Amino acid sequence: MIRRIKGVKDILPDDIPKWDVIETAARRLATIYGFREIRIPIFEQTDLFARSIGTTTDIVEKEMYTFQDLDKTSLTLRPEGTAGAVRAYIENNLGSVPSAQKMFYLGPMFRHESPQAGRQRQFHQLGVEFFGNPHVGADVEVMAFLWHFFADLKLRDLTLEVNSLGEPADRSRYRALLVKFLEARGDCLCVNCRGRLERNPFRILDCKEAGCRDATRDAPMMTDHLSERARTQFEDVRSGLSALGIPYTVNPRLVRGLDYYTLTAFEVTSLSPHLGAQNALGGGGRYDGLVEGLGGPSTPAVGFAAGLERIALVLPPEALTPQPKMVFVAAFGKDGEAAGTRVLQALRARGVSSETLYGASTLKAHLRQADRRGALLTAIIGDDEAAEGVVLLRDMTTKAQEKLPLSSAPDMIAARVFSA
Ligand code: AMP
């Protein structure tokens, strides 16, 4: 038998109510905050990701699903959504469309990571991008959206961590300082981080290895080396959050894994035991240089991405919406089945969720199936009922039965279901 690919999961019918709640909340809030949906391709030219995410990042170095198209173009399954959103923004000249400055997307992403709880090779994200506005109001707005989204889903024990990664000039000055500091402690770093020293020293700050933690304990922090403008911007972001009553902590080690961030960076983590090490539910930041870096006009931007699998893992039962009440039609005998089919269709036409078991010839078989499906009511129609022009309506909880005229049964049953 052919099995699914490692790190990839089926989302089964029983899981779907969770996903529905999450996606519905995402769409509802997007409308409330004025973000419109964009659907971008699942694969793009490899260069798009290499140039935006950064050639020395973990994602581009080791996690991309890259393959050659028949014409030898190198293509990659998208590991995240911002690069594609920016490409679409530039290519479709969306900078000139006022209603297209705030966009969101929902969909699968692909990264070749080692699978564990909350970490998969195909996973789904809600992504939000706010283009064209350098004001901290935009930073605060996307963070407020993310916080509001999690609050709507009744998620608990969350922390919003914020940091400033400075402007590009601050970063290169700081990078030199950090590398100098870490080079003196190179022996204490894990193998992975020794490799990062040259290529991506910032990531060493959020390495979880004990040796790297120790080595970076007194490391210079970006927040102490910000330009005046970046420092003010960071203060304004924090006061904007406080003004909205959104609690946060400053985490100077928060660097995020993608190169394109400037100034604001943020992440929401959860303390839930269902997540273990993979405790980040979502994160993002400002990426003022990316649109221009990919060949578009100079355009400030800020956004976030949240992982839907991780949200599903921590979603409390009280966030689930009750499933619609269901009616079972138990029809048997030649005339009974014909009448039952009409009742079933009439119920569905009235918006009532209804089911039957085709071919079951005994009442017992029908009732067993009705129980399994959690039916609220069962409409019983055998040949005798069809001849008499009635339906026997059984309340599946009390087991009480009553006779209804066949002609008015669908309306009466629908009224009963909608008032239940
Ligand atoms: P990133 O695009 O790396 O900033 O990730 C944003 C969010 O996507 C994270 O906070 C996670 O919730 C989720 N995420 C990232 N990578 C994975 C993965 N491999 N499996 C499941 N969720 C992920």
Side-chain angles (χ1 to χ4, degrees), residues 111 113 118-120 123 125 256 258 280-282 305 307 310:
R111 295 183 196 172
E113 299 194 79
R119 193 158 81 190
Q120 297 175 200
F123 59 98
Q125 287 185 336
R256 318 262 314 126
L258 307 97
L281 293 182
R310 292 189 195 170

Side-chain angles (χ1 to χ4, degrees), residues 88-259:
Y89 184 83
I90 300 169
E91 197 165 348
N92 298 289
N93 194 20
L94 297 182
S96 64
V97 183
S99 61
Q101 303 311 300
K102 294 166 66 177
M103 302 191 285
F104 78 98
Y105 47 84
L106 283 162
M109 307 293 161
F110 306 84
R111 295 183 196 172
H112 196 281
E113 299 194 79
S114 26
Q116 52 177 264
R119 193 158 81 190
Q120 297 175 200
R121 291 183 175 173
Q122 176 178 335
F123 59 98
H124 297 74
Q125 287 185 336
L126 158 68
V128 157
E129 318 290 356
F130 189 148
F131 290 101
N133 200 324
H135 194 276
V136 290
D139 305 52
V140 174
E141 181 170 297
V142 297
M143 285 189 258
F145 183 137
L146 184 60
W147 197 250
H148 195 162
F149 177 47
F150 293 153
D152 266 11
L153 294 173
K154 303 188 169 57
L155 307 194
R156 290 182 292 259
D157 302 325
L158 302 183
T159 309
L160 168 63
E161 295 180 353
V162 295
N163 192 19
S164 176
L165 303 176
E167 296 183 285
D170 306 339
R171 266 226 275 189
S172 47
R173 260 185 290 116
Y174 168 67
R175 183 191 165 107
L177 279 177
L178 182 65
V179 170
K180 193 155 167 246
F181 176 92
L182 292 173
E183 267 170 358
R185 291 156 184 82
D187 295 346
C188 313
L189 300 178
C190 70
V191 185
N192 205 357
C193 283
R194 260 178 251 167
R196 283 171 169 160
L197 248 180
E198 279 293 306
R199 292 176 290 109
N200 195 358
F202 303 120
R203 283 313 294 275
I204 302 176
L205 293 174
D206 73 354
C207 179
K208 306 282 184 292
E209 294 287 327
C212 300
R213 293 243 130 204
D214 274 352
T216 56
R217 183 150 299 134
D218 300 317
M221 289 295 159
M222 184 72 242
T223 34
D224 297 322
H225 298 273
L226 295 174
S227 63
E228 187 56 35
R229 189 182 103 90
R231 199 171 28 248
T232 311
Q233 196 268 2
F234 191 35
E235 274 165 21
D236 291 348
V237 165
R238 285 177 291 161
S239 37
L241 289 171
S242 302
L244 297 185
I246 299 174
Y248 65 86
T249 57
V250 174
N251 175 3
R253 289 173 181 271
L254 178 71
V255 295
R256 318 262 314 126
L258 307 97
D259 270 3

